[in-house]
Amino acid sequence: MAAPRALVVLVSTFLLAASSRASKYSREANEGLAAAGAKRRETGEFRVVRLNQIWEKAQRLHLSAVKLAELHSDLKIQEKDELSWKKMKAEGLDEDGEKEAKLRRNLNVIMTKYGMNGKKDSQLVDTNYIKDGTESDTLDDPRLEKLWSKAKTSGKFSDEELDKLWREFKHHKEKIREYNILLETVSRTEDIHKNVINPSEENLVKEEILHNKHRELKDKLRSINQGFERLRKVSHQGYDATSEFEEPRVIDLWDMAKSANFTEKELESFREELKHFEAKIEKHHHYQKQLEISHEKLKHVEGTGDKEHLNRNREKYAMLEEKTKELGYKVKKHLQDLSSRISQGSTKQSF
């Protein structure tokens, strides 16, 4: 009997040590994230000067913790694209300036999205779906308001399903406003090109530039139309129990993928990738919620004067902030890659 008891003690000791090491490594990883964030704040968050200026301006605007994390992710994507463009330009590419024009349009969309373009009431609605209650928000579209009212009173949805449907409606509203912002910036860019491009180049270069711009707008408009049809169908019939996806962005991608010229094998592969993408979004939502809760706790503790408690909450908040930024970037980058694949599939010839 002594040998089995000794074995139990040995295993228990091993598990306790392993647990201690795991806890230590997890704590060190979290502290590393917070330290990395602090170091970037000292040296500048971004490698592009104007993006640092936008980030500093956003912090002065007192945006919510989640909105700041979302903006950070958008600016990281913008930074990656701008650095890639600078490399292209150094190699003598982008002679017609279309890539540069697209970067300006994207930055203008970001500025407008977070209310930093100098115009009132230009901010897009929250996209994190954290706050409780839906009645305080409006959809700014009579067709959407009518569908939402019908869905609420139909008795076909549980409270959880109504929350999910409301997220789809708000996502659709965001898509419409982003389309309108892009339409405005494209029109402005067209006016600039009218004055810049020489008449001798007009037939060759300008036509291709306009084609690219309008294809981008057409893709977004198609997504809006498909999204509205889905909302109309769900509002009237309720949710399909066999529905594959729940996240609005994933549903959009899947609807567009089914309309693209993918083979059955390509479509099945895309479906599996969307499942992984949806799991990544859910993880991001979880951290957004934790960040919002941590921010509220931090504000409460700041008023108590308890320094030790305050420092613990600051460390936790810094860790959650960095993790939310990191996941937000990964989600947006993945979304960008998936959208690009669909666009390529849509332009591919079918035989």
Side-chain angles (χ1 to χ4, degrees), residues 15-25 27:
L15 290 175
L16 185 61
S19 174
S20 175
R21 282 197 301 273
S23 176
K24 177 187 174 186
Y25 294 149
R27 185 175 65 253

Side-chain angles (χ1 to χ4, degrees), residues 144 147 165 168-170 172-173 226-236 239:
L144 295 180
L147 283 180
L165 182 61
E168 288 200 50
F169 272 98
K170 297 292 280 188
H172 190 77
K173 174 185 174 180
Q226 287 178 335
F228 181 78
E229 281 305 307
R230 172 183 163 75
L231 286 174
R232 187 185 60 77
K233 182 179 177 182
V234 172
S235 298
H236 283 81
Y239 276 108

Side-chain angles (χ1 to χ4, degrees), residues 315-328:
E315 285 176 8
K316 183 176 181 182
Y317 176 78
M319 181 275 291
L320 286 169
E321 183 185 39
E322 286 305 308
K323 190 65 179 177
T324 306
K325 286 177 184 176
E326 177 191 331
L327 281 169

Side-chain angles (χ1 to χ4, degrees), residues 1-18:
M1 294 295 291
R5 276 201 299 272
L7 182 60
V8 169
V9 170
L10 181 63
V11 170
S12 299
T13 304
F14 174 78
L15 290 175
L16 185 61

Side-chain angles (χ1 to χ4, degrees), residues 107-253:
L107 188 59
N108 190 60
V109 168
I110 292 171
M111 296 285 283
T112 305
K113 181 177 179 181
Y114 295 95
M116 292 187 289
N117 63 343
K119 297 179 183 177
K120 290 184 178 181
D121 303 322
S122 62
Q123 230 171 300
L124 284 173
V125 295
D126 282 341
T127 58
N128 47 61
Y129 319 125
I130 288 171
K131 296 175 183 175
D132 292 328
T134 58
E135 302 306 320
S136 60
D137 292 320
T138 58
L139 295 168
D140 298 336
D141 184 329
R143 295 188 307 166
L144 295 180
E145 296 282 3
K146 187 176 179 180
L147 283 180
W148 172 241
S149 179
K150 187 163 189 171
K152 279 194 303 180
T153 57
S154 67
K156 295 177 180 177
F157 300 92
S158 65
D159 289 344
E160 186 179 344
E161 287 175 333
L162 273 178
D163 286 342
K164 185 168 76 170
L165 182 61
W166 178 250
R167 293 200 298 269
E168 288 200 50
F169 272 98
K170 297 292 280 188
H171 174 65
H172 190 77
K173 174 185 174 180
E174 180 183 330
K175 284 200 301 182
I176 293 171
R177 294 199 58 185
E178 285 184 337
Y179 172 82
N180 289 332
I181 293 167
L182 185 60
L183 182 62
E184 181 185 344
T185 55
V186 164
S187 299
R188 211 176 298 144
T189 308
E190 285 178 356
D191 291 338
I192 292 170
H193 276 291
K194 284 177 184 177
N195 298 323
V196 172
I197 298 177
N198 296 327
S200 59
E201 300 172 331
E202 192 166 342
N203 292 334
L204 296 175
V205 180
K206 188 176 176 184
E207 187 176 330
E208 180 62 24
I209 291 172
L210 293 177
H211 175 74
N212 290 336
K213 290 175 189 171
H214 289 290
R215 184 174 63 190
E216 187 179 356
L217 283 168
K218 186 178 177 182
D219 288 343
K220 286 188 177 293
L221 187 58
R222 183 180 63 173
S223 174
I224 287 171
N225 290 334
Q226 287 178 335
F228 181 78
E229 281 305 307
R230 172 183 163 75
L231 286 174
R232 187 185 60 77
K233 182 179 177 182
V234 172
S235 298
H236 283 81
Q237 300 177 11
Y239 276 108
D240 182 356
T242 62
S243 178
E244 293 192 74
F245 303 109
E246 295 186 3
E247 161 61 35
R249 282 172 288 184
V250 179
I251 292 168
D252 278 347
L253 288 169

